Amino acid sequence: MPSIRSAHSPRSYALATLFAAVLALAPAADTARAGTVGPSGPTRAAGPRLPAPTGGLPVGQRTLALRDASREDPWEPGRARELMLSVWYPALPSDAPRAAYVTARESGMILRQHRVGGVPEDLLSRTGTHARTGPPALPAVGAGLPLVLLSPGFSLPRTSLTALAEDLASRGYAVAAVDHAYEAAAITYPDGRVTGCSACRPAVRGTAVAATRAADLSYVRRRLTAGAGAAVGAEGLPRLDPARVAVVGHSIGGAAAFEAMRRDPAFVAGVNMDGTFQPSDTGPLERPFLLLGADRHGRPGADPSWDLAWRRLTGPRAWFSAAGAVHTSFTDYAALTGATGSAAARGGPAAPVLPAARATRLTRELVAAFLDGHLREGPRPRADALLDAVGALHPQLRRHGR
């Protein structure tokens, strides 16, 4: 099986180039800028702002800590498995401070992990978000809100999927992004510890990471759907429907989403955004699953693991690739480089890259359409019809089979 340093690691796709492009946005027009929000308000120079959510609901965010005492951390033996979460949810209108993207210390660690030099270490901490910190949740009706778990790419923080999370929350979903312990460049815990990526070493195999994350995601699902008080900081979250939980991941997080679905029947639907699958057996998966791939990697025949997984999907399924998309197109790091338009301008691939605004929009709309088709309460349009409608709006999307 491929190692975690396979062709689809973030570094292989010139993540450093994309981070460098973020700096080019710093002096952009005021409409694309936002100050960093700290305990006492804006404190540093303005930076880029994530694209605004497109749903009609205000968004709140809380940070949660979970500790699974029943499992030893595979990357740090002797320690229990600890997970940090950001949870976004539909909220009541509020003038609470905007949620911070990352701290200045985390920004420096992320940039160093990806060997980005010549930029301010606090660069990413200047990124503006749209969610408010901890406002009251919009009261949930019925059994509660559908829940979507997000798993980021290897060595990337949970915040790399913030634009997607905010958008889904504005459409009526609760969304929890997971920092898998010691698999991200920087994770800050409630006691002040800041850990790096202990798992970022050549000997670590993708199959082990996907299996560990699948267990993480099942644990998070159980804890969050157990009700208020299940996690530090969970007070005030909306009621969640345990029968409507989906899992979405980018890169190795997408492989983990598949493994979580395969191992845990409580997950209703799953999405893999450009991750090489790390299958541990050959059994079928009968529940809904969506594949969304980058231009070259996402086409049939480009990655044997995708062709194999496609054959194993015996339930509702869909496979799309996006022309011009690269590995990071489905993350915030595409949205934050929107003014550059193409990585080629900074030494990236020669072929034109899908414009970041378009990449963010099609990612949000395709994932939302898939989830709406499988998680909404009451009568709903067929998922295939919703997906085809999104495809008709975005000529960059190519559908492969049904």
Side-chain angles (χ1 to χ4, degrees), residues 13-14 17-18 21 324 326 328 337 340-355:
Y13 282 82
T17 299
L18 295 178
V326 296
T328 49
T337 58
T340 65
S342 171
R346 290 181 175 269
V353 172
L354 180 65

Side-chain angles (χ1 to χ4, degrees), residues 133-384:
T133 302
L138 189 70
V141 297
L145 296 182
L147 172 64
V148 181
L149 303 187
L150 299 181
S151 183
F154 191 67
S155 82
L156 297 182
R158 67 186 189 272
T159 53
S160 63
L161 298 173
T162 297
L164 175 60
E166 289 186 335
D167 191 67
L168 289 172
S170 77
R171 297 170 183 253
Y173 290 90
V175 185
V178 183
D179 258 337
H180 303 274
Y182 305 104
E183 297 174 27
I187 303 175
T188 302
Y189 291 89
D191 61 7
R193 286 177 297 130
V194 184
T195 61
C197 190
S198 300
C200 291
R201 52 183 187 264
V204 173
R205 310 298 293 180
T207 49
V209 175
T212 298
R213 289 192 176 203
D216 290 346
L217 293 164
S218 287
Y219 180 73
V220 170
R221 178 196 59 75
R222 292 193 301 270
R223 291 292 299 274
L224 289 185
T225 57
V232 176
E235 303 81 4
L237 290 179
R239 185 171 65 258
L240 304 176
D241 185 351
R244 294 189 294 152
V245 185
V247 57
V248 178
H250 168 249
S251 194
I252 193 67
F258 181 79
E259 279 298 290
M261 289 271 305
R262 192 186 63 77
R263 295 164 180 243
D264 186 345
F267 286 113
V268 173
V271 180
N272 178 355
M273 299 187 296
D274 208 48
T276 292
F277 287 91
Q278 307 286 334
S280 57
D281 76 1
T282 57
L285 178 64
E286 298 178 349
R287 279 159 286 140
F289 204 86
L290 169 67
L291 285 69
L292 173 57
D295 192 344
R296 294 183 177 87
H297 174 245
R299 302 175 189 177
D303 180 340
S305 78
W306 278 46
D307 296 286
L308 174 61
W310 182 250
R311 294 192 295 271
R312 295 169 66 192
L313 297 174
T314 59
R317 61 182 186 173
W319 181 347
F320 288 85
S321 63
V326 296
H327 192 54
T328 49
S329 291
F330 312 109
T331 73
D332 292 354
Y333 302 136
L336 294 176
T337 58
T340 65
S342 171
R346 290 181 175 269
V353 172
L354 180 65
R358 176 67 67 170
T360 299
R361 183 181 167 193
L362 68 82
T363 300
R364 286 172 159 183
E365 293 179 1
L366 200 69
V367 172
F370 179 76
L371 296 177
D372 285 350
H374 295 292
L375 266 68
R376 290 292 186 187
E377 283 188 309
R380 55 180 181 255
R382 291 176 54 250
D384 257 358

